Amino acid sequence: MGIPRGTYDILPNEVTTWHYLEKTAREICARYAYEEVRTPIFEETSLYERGVGETTDIVEKEMYTFLDRKKRSLTLRPEGTAGVVRSFVENKMYGESLPVKLYYFGPMFRYERPQAGRYRQFHQFGVEVFGSDDPALDAEVISLGLAFYRSLGISGVQVGINNVGTPEIRAKYFEKLIEYFAPFEAELDQDAKSRLYRNPMRILDSKVKRTQEIAEGAPSILDSLDKASMENFERVQSYLQELQVPFQVNDRLVRGLDYYTQTAFEFMIEELGAQAGVIGGGGRYNGLVQELGGPEVSGIGFGIGLERVILALKEQNVAIPSTKPMDCFLVTMGEQAQHASVRLLGELRGAGLKAERDYLDRKMKAQFKAANRYKARYVAVLGDEELASGKIQVKQMETGEQKSIAMDQLVSYLLEGK
Ligand code: HAM
């Protein structure tokens, strides 16, 4: 028996990093006036078929789908957007004052081939905004993502943006692409071939060399955009400039999900490589709310892969703020002292101090060692003598300074020393 392929345990010493990520994200979301939403980890399979798209890799081959005991088809969420849109519709959030600005964290599940920065259970921090077409919101969402990386202390994040038009524009663009790629059909890789007539845009982000070479000459979506989309794209860019967000227009940027309209973007760190370097992505999805049974309300958001963010933190040697240090370790000697320490420990913790004692009947030296492992600021020694006198020996570990303190003064002494 072992852990399933593509999953991993987050052990206590790594949880600190996760708390740091979540805390940073929450602080930034609060500044931008986003509120947290929590949706289920599984949804009806049809939500993703309709929401994410039948021709996407996710729906075609990556979903963890199962039948429950009543033979309902359910799927572990492969991404966050579809579930949040379902919740937005089901809870009639469109009736609230718009825009509705939401964020979420959580595990996502995709049956992919595991490799660096790619897991079968991974975690995203995501945001979704509903109810406004204003390109200033596109810029806001992109700058929020960038603010997250920057606050963590990650540098070198590149922002790539594109405009993938409306479904009508894309239908015409698909024809152009098919026309362009068809003469090369025999030279395309298997994946690209299978996409040629169903979703030819996906060929543009192929990782296969020959296919890439062929794709280089393919027509650009930007040449197919109508006036409104082009103007929209220009406004998004000018707002990004206002926010001093550096970006690159990349007309080959196609996202792997079908719901996008207009703005599409990705966050990238080159040093992590082509795969793990894509540390986040998102875009507009103006038809999705309607597709999932709601009114005509537009949306935009992103998903950031937190495992890849952690890779970047490690790669760039970013120091993670450490957890609260131990305030006091109680060293006990003798049965009576052990007994008395229970109450004292309770008092320390009750006063909000982080405190611990020995539970293994260890010798004094070993107890001091344990205190050092906890990086305890103070060690208080409690033995028969101290119990008799009502005074306790307290050692400040950094300076080595020792003091004898009345036992009932320990809490206030430690609180003052904080
Ligand atoms: P996505 O591009 O599929 O978009 O995923 C977003 C991010 O999740 C990726 O950029 C990557 O960092 C991370 N990611 C994806 N798959 C894996 C994996 N197998 N292992 C580790 N990390 C992974 C979405 O999911 C959209 N829902 C984003 C969005 C929100 N668009 C609009 N709103």
Side-chain angles (χ1 to χ4, degrees):
M1 225 166 48
I3 195 163
R5 189 165 143 78
T7 68
Y8 64 100
D9 298 312
I10 302 175
L11 298 174
N13 65 342
E14 288 146 11
V15 162
T16 322
T17 307
W18 287 86
H19 287 170
Y20 175 56
L21 294 182
E22 288 184 14
K23 185 166 171 268
T24 307
R26 282 182 209 291
E27 276 168 13
I28 289 170
C29 284
R31 263 190 260 157
Y32 283 71
Y34 286 63
E35 292 179 308
E36 186 176 356
V37 64
R38 301 185 184 192
T39 62
I41 279 173
F42 58 85
E43 298 270 0
E44 286 177 12
T45 303
S46 56
L47 174 72
Y48 301 114
E49 288 166 350
R50 280 174 59 190
V52 174
E54 303 265 14
T55 64
T56 58
D57 284 353
I58 291 182
V59 171
E60 277 187 348
K61 48 191 185 199
E62 294 173 358
M63 294 205 296
Y64 280 92
T65 297
F66 59 96
L67 294 180
D68 74 2
R69 286 171 187 277
K70 287 266 170 66
K71 304 273 182 289
R72 299 178 192 95
S73 180
L74 300 170
T75 294
L76 296 182
R77 63 179 181 201
E79 60 98 54
T81 311
V84 173
V85 172
R86 185 218 28 82
S87 174
F88 176 82
V89 172
E90 207 160 346
N91 294 292
K92 299 193 172 52
M93 286 189 240
Y94 46 81
E96 297 170 15
S97 78
L98 297 173
V100 170
K101 299 166 57 166
L102 304 170
Y103 76 92
Y104 54 88
F105 293 104
M108 308 289 161
F109 306 84
R110 294 184 194 177
Y111 191 87
E112 291 191 87
R113 203 164 49 79
Q115 58 183 68
R118 194 159 78 187
Y119 300 88
R120 291 185 172 169
Q121 173 171 340
F122 61 99
H123 298 76
Q124 280 186 358
F125 155 47
V127 309
E128 312 293 349
V129 182
F130 298 96
S132 170
D133 270 340
D134 190 337
L137 260 183
D138 302 42
E140 172 179 296
V141 166
I142 293 171
S143 77
L144 192 163
L146 203 58
F148 172 63
Y149 302 119
R150 285 187 176 158
S151 308
L152 289 173
I154 294 176
S155 55
V157 177
Q158 293 173 356
V159 180
I161 60 168
N162 194 13
N163 187 302
V164 296
T166 60
E168 297 73 43
I169 289 171
R170 267 212 302 284
K172 283 201 198 122
Y173 179 56
F174 273 24
E175 281 171 26
K176 281 197 202 169
L177 282 179
I178 293 170
E179 207 176 295
Y180 171 80
F181 280 116
F184 296 104
E185 189 167 352
E187 292 177 65
L188 295 174
D189 65 278
Q190 212 46 47
D191 239 13
K193 262 186 210 155
S194 78
R195 282 169 173 160
L196 180 55
Y197 295 100
R198 291 182 307 136
N199 199 343
M201 257 173 97
R202 293 299 316 282
I203 302 178
L204 298 178
D205 70 354
S206 167
K207 302 281 181 280
V208 179
K209 193 156 174 280
R210 180 63 193 134
T211 304
Q212 265 178 348
E213 286 167 4
I214 297 169
E216 265 171 34
S220 164
I221 178 108
L222 298 179
D223 295 329
S224 294
L225 293 185
D226 59 359
K227 198 156 162 276
S229 300
M230 207 59 222
E231 271 174 20
N232 184 283
F233 194 33
E234 276 158 15
R235 283 181 67 197
V236 172
Q237 293 179 51
S238 87
Y239 286 132
L240 285 173
Q241 278 154 3
E242 290 294 323
L243 287 164
Q244 294 177 333
V245 170
F247 62 86
Q248 285 137 9
V249 171
N250 175 4
D251 65 357
R252 293 296 192 257
L253 194 159
V254 288
R255 307 267 305 123
L257 303 96
D258 277 356
Y259 46 61
Y260 292 111
T261 57
Q262 307 289 350
T263 310
F265 58 90
E266 265 172 9
F267 300 110
M268 175 73 200
I269 296 186
E270 248 169 34
E271 59 189 295
L272 295 183
Q275 162 71 42
V278 184
I279 51 172
R284 271 208 171 270
Y285 44 87
N286 287 347
L288 187 58
V289 175
Q290 223 174 1
E291 173 67 33
L292 297 179
E296 207 183 319
V297 171
S298 53
I300 177 168
F302 65 62
I304 286 179
L306 295 178
E307 281 77 6
R308 296 181 189 181
V309 170
I310 290 177
L311 267 183
L313 288 170
K314 286 195 179 138
E315 187 72 23
Q316 299 185 0
N317 289 317
V318 177
I320 308 297
S322 55
T323 43
K324 193 172 179 270
M326 179 73 70
D327 290 307
C328 185
F329 189 91
L330 285 181
V331 169
T332 54
M333 284 175 305
E335 223 170 279
Q336 270 188 312
Q338 279 177 2
H339 190 88
S341 73
V342 170
R343 178 164 167 186
L344 198 53
L345 197 61
E347 282 171 8
L348 294 172
R349 290 171 173 168
L353 293 161
K354 181 168 172 180
E356 184 57 304
R357 60 163 273 206
D358 172 61
Y359 285 106
L360 293 172
D361 219 358
R362 278 188 279 228
K363 299 224 163 60
M364 190 144 128
K365 201 170 155 200
Q367 291 191 45
F368 265 95
K369 249 193 182 163
N372 278 330
R373 259 203 312 278
Y374 281 119
K375 298 194 177 68
R377 294 169 48 240
Y378 291 89
V379 171
V381 183
L382 192 57
D384 291 344
E385 219 173 278
E386 285 77 11
L387 281 179
S389 66
K391 290 205 157 178
I392 190 166
Q393 294 296 324
V394 183
K395 182 172 179 185
Q396 187 177 1
M397 296 304 275
E398 205 182 287
T399 59
E401 190 191 337
Q402 287 221 41
K403 257 192 161 169
S404 172
I405 291 181
M407 227 187 303
D408 57 4
Q409 295 296 307
L410 182 63
V411 167
S412 52
Y413 176 75
L414 292 177
L415 283 175
E416 269 167 34
K418 266 183 93 78

